[in-house]
Amino acid sequence: MAAVTGSFTANGVAHAPSRTVRVTVLSLIGLIFALPIAAMIEFTLRAGLVGGYNVDRWVALFQSGFTGVYRPVLVALGNSVALAIGTVIIVMLLLVPTMLLVHIRFPYLRRVLEFICILPITIPAIVLVVGLAPIYTVVARMLGSGVWTLAFAYGITVLPFAYRAIQSNLDGVDVRTLTEAARTLGAGWGSVLVRVLVPNLRRGILAGAFIAVAVVLGEFTIASLLNRVNLQTALVVVSKVDPYTAVILSLLALAFASMLLLIIGRLGAPRNQTLRRRTTVKGPA
Amino acid sequence: MYVVLFLAVPTLIAIGTGFFDTTGAFTLATVAALGDPVVLTTFFNSFWLSALTAVVGAVVGALVCYAMLGTRPDGALRSTIDSLSGVLAQFGGVMLAFAFVATIGIQGMVTLYLRDMFGLDIFENGVWLYSTTGLILPYIYFQVPLMIITFMPALQALKPQWAEANATLGGTTASYWLRIAFPVLAPSFLGSLLLLFANAFSSYATAAALVSQGSQIVPLQIRAALTSETLLGRENLAGALALGMIVVMAVVMIGYSALQSRAARWQQ
């Protein structure tokens, strides 16, 4: 952000609102948006019918170690984590090599790939389920009705998010030159992929993987309508029995997802660029 | 060949799952089911719910974006708001329903506060949280963050040179916004509005967790049709409803991409 410091520009943006306006708007809307979250916390701290507040429910949940009524939640969490891992593997094995190959050798296919990857956004999950139901009866017959089979469906739903994360990284790296350099030095395609491209794209790949994890952990529609148990469907079941626990678990899940996305934000470009610049300066010495 | 294989597999799954039922079970009877008064009502409900929450979400979201202008794009404030928006827009679902039960449910914090402090009963005319009206607030709650995510890049792309040109020619802040920024931003704003509409239209999890009886909006109608055990052959109805949704979504997304290409003209 160079020296554009006219009266109406700040950080390269013209006619930005004054500080007071910004603080007022942001804090007002922030307050309104914090209200439901605060209400959730308040709700979990309520001490029964007598009124007052304590942390009994939080303590009880962790001391009992998810036994009894909460056991299904733990199982569901395991399912969701397994699904997240499965989905990430599918995305990494299918999407990354495809995108790289299209980028390097078949640039004219880029529009097609982009269209295909963005397509799942336009097809709502609830519609996808209608089409998935008959397919999953076949899948269940062939592979059993294990929860992990859902990873195939999730691989499709996370496609747009993962694609965008990886593509934005791909645009910033000169893949063609890197590949040609590696090939000239006698590297095979496999080692180009593993030792040159993946390390250079690790930021995009990591962001794509994180976002896939967040989407899978938050997924409800497909699992619920195909009668599979994952974290979200279990939360609904628990909320019918013990709303307090369901809210506590939701808070934890929301906090976890915020953390994941904050990490993605931190992986952002600026810091990495300064790092790269520094290493190139250091290079010849 | 290698590419074709890797391309074809996801494509086939996506296309196959999206259209399998609708083309496979395509008869006039299923499409006729779309004319059913009950189905028409649910589509109407979905429409006004999506439209209302999209407009409110777009306006409030745009306001937040405007407030964030001038902060550093890679600063802590921006990245925090970005990631929180991401969580609320994509991750919420079921948990947002819980949050709103805790806030404005019968025993919710705000409900009790209003009752005890002002003697105000927000459920005077019956509990509306678990009906279509009750979906408005939770939907706005995830629409605003989505607006922030989609609209911020457009606002950020306004060029300072335009403001300089405006100032050189004797324009004021008001003329900058009215004559330059609004016309340039209009396609992006409308595009985001359509995206928000599509988002609300296709959203299922929040509604499913909040509304356990009845099916006032299309996704819930699909749930009823899919899980119904009383009527045989209701799967066709689910297919028909899905077809209806795809048509709506296709129209919306075509509009979106048209607006997007207009908007791209100013973002180079």
Side-chain angles (χ1 to χ4, degrees):
Chain A
M1 301 300 161
V4 197
T5 41
S7 58
F8 49 79
T9 53
N11 279 321
V13 179
H15 292 297
S18 70
R19 205 181 155 74
T20 15
V21 174
R22 180 192 312 151
V23 172
T24 322
V25 171
L26 285 187
S27 49
L28 192 72
I29 294 176
L31 213 63
I32 294 173
F33 270 76
L35 202 59
I37 305 295
M40 282 171 98
I41 298 173
E42 190 258 8
F43 186 69
T44 60
L45 295 177
R46 282 185 198 171
L49 293 172
V50 281
Y53 296 103
N54 59 33
V55 290
D56 283 0
R57 291 177 211 286
W58 288 77
V59 175
L61 179 67
F62 287 104
Q63 271 184 345
S64 64
F66 292 96
T67 47
V69 208
Y70 312 127
R71 184 103 192 98
V73 176
L74 211 58
V75 175
L77 184 64
N79 283 349
S80 272
V81 170
L83 277 174
I85 295 170
T87 309
V88 169
I89 291 175
I90 289 178
V91 168
M92 292 307 127
L93 288 187
L94 278 177
L95 186 63
V96 175
T98 311
M99 284 179 71
L100 283 173
L101 269 177
V102 167
H103 198 86
I104 300 165
R105 304 192 59 180
F106 308 95
Y108 55 92
L109 283 177
R110 206 184 135 169
R111 297 293 302 228
V112 182
L113 183 68
E114 190 172 349
F115 175 74
I116 290 165
C117 288
I118 301 300
L119 201 62
I121 274 195
T122 51
I123 302 172
I126 182 83
V127 169
L128 209 57
V129 161
V130 176
L132 279 174
I135 288 182
Y136 264 89
T137 53
V138 179
V139 170
R141 217 175 296 140
M142 277 165 28
L143 302 168
S145 55
V147 183
W148 63 271
T149 50
L150 275 186
F152 294 127
Y154 289 168
I156 297 295
T157 53
V158 301
L159 211 53
F161 306 106
Y163 174 82
R164 260 187 304 191
I166 298 171
Q167 185 65 45
S168 69
N169 195 179
L170 207 54
D171 288 338
V173 175
D174 194 353
V175 174
R176 182 175 287 275
T177 310
L178 283 176
T179 318
E180 278 165 8
R183 296 282 289 163
T184 320
L185 294 171
W189 278 111
S191 98
V192 167
L193 190 69
V194 177
R195 292 173 63 190
V196 177
L197 294 181
V198 171
N200 268 296
L201 295 171
R202 65 181 180 282
R203 210 155 33 80
I205 292 174
L206 218 55
F210 277 156
I211 231 168
V213 170
V215 169
V216 172
L217 289 185
E219 211 285 328
F220 172 75
T221 313
I222 295 175
S224 127
L225 287 174
L226 291 179
N227 294 320
R228 304 298 203 280
V229 178
N230 74 2
L231 181 63
Q232 303 295 319
T233 59
L235 276 180
V236 172
V237 173
V238 170
S239 77
K240 304 254 153 88
V241 187
D242 181 356
Y244 296 103
T245 310
V247 172
I248 293 180
L249 292 171
S250 304
L251 278 171
L252 292 177
L254 282 173
F256 177 70
S258 315
M259 238 167 53
L260 267 188
L261 291 200
L262 259 178
I263 295 173
I264 298 181
R266 285 272 168 268
L267 288 171
R271 206 179 26 169
N272 203 309
Q273 269 168 6
T274 51
L275 207 84
R276 197 178 301 147
R277 206 173 301 135
R278 211 179 302 140
T279 46
T280 43
V281 170
K282 220 188 289 173
Chain B
M1 282 312 286
Y2 183 62
V3 185
V4 172
L5 187 72
F6 272 120
L7 262 169
V9 174
T11 317
L12 278 180
I13 296 176
I15 304 276
T17 50
F19 299 97
F20 184 85
D21 208 81
T22 48
T23 50
F26 192 80
T27 61
L28 282 177
T30 50
V31 181
L34 285 177
D36 189 85
V38 180
V39 175
L40 281 182
T41 318
T42 51
F43 264 98
F44 177 72
N45 278 341
S46 267
F47 264 115
W48 75 252
L49 178 68
S50 311
L52 178 71
T53 58
V55 169
V56 175
V59 171
V60 177
L63 200 65
V64 174
C65 290
Y66 168 69
M68 284 203 299
L69 263 186
T71 58
R72 283 183 40 219
D74 51 339
L77 177 76
R78 194 71 79 76
S79 66
T80 310
I81 291 183
D82 274 350
S83 39
L84 286 182
S85 301
V87 171
L88 293 180
Q90 281 151 12
F91 188 70
V94 176
M95 289 166 287
L96 286 191
F98 293 165
F100 275 84
V101 172
T103 316
I104 51 171
I106 303 169
Q107 290 294 318
M109 185 172 83
V110 173
T111 317
L112 293 182
Y113 180 77
L114 288 177
R115 196 187 63 197
D116 297 341
M117 287 299 182
F118 306 104
L120 197 70
D121 186 5
I122 57 171
F123 293 130
E124 213 164 7
N125 304 313
V127 180
W128 43 260
L129 181 61
Y130 305 102
S131 65
T132 322
T133 343
L135 290 178
I136 296 175
L137 284 177
Y139 272 39
I140 290 174
Y141 198 77
F142 65 68
Q143 294 278 49
V144 173
L146 185 66
M147 184 66 182
I148 297 175
I149 298 173
T150 53
F151 192 57
M152 199 62 217
L155 210 51
Q156 192 67 42
L158 286 176
K159 291 195 172 65
Q161 288 87 330
W162 298 336
E164 280 160 16
N166 174 54
T168 323
L169 295 171
T172 58
T173 305
S175 76
Y176 166 74
W177 281 112
L178 281 176
R179 301 266 175 81
I180 300 171
F182 283 164
V184 168
L185 289 176
S188 312
F189 182 81
L190 290 176
S192 302
L193 190 72
L194 281 182
L195 203 66
L196 258 60
F197 179 87
N199 184 42
F201 197 75
S202 61
S203 150
Y204 167 78
T206 311
L210 211 51
V211 184
S212 54
Q213 279 179 348
S215 21
Q216 296 88 346
I217 59 171
V218 182
L220 294 183
Q221 187 87 41
I222 292 183
R223 166 179 75 176
L226 270 182
T227 56
S228 158
E229 291 168 352
T230 48
L231 276 172
L232 269 178
R234 287 294 289 270
E235 296 252 326
N236 279 350
L237 180 61
L241 287 166
L243 178 69
M245 279 190 86
I246 288 187
V247 169
V248 173
M249 292 296 282
V251 171
V252 169
M253 291 322 275
I254 288 170
Y256 173 70
S257 66
L259 283 166
Q260 205 63 0
S261 60
R262 259 195 86 90
R265 228 190 277 166
W266 298 104
Q267 287 177 3
Q268 279 146 16

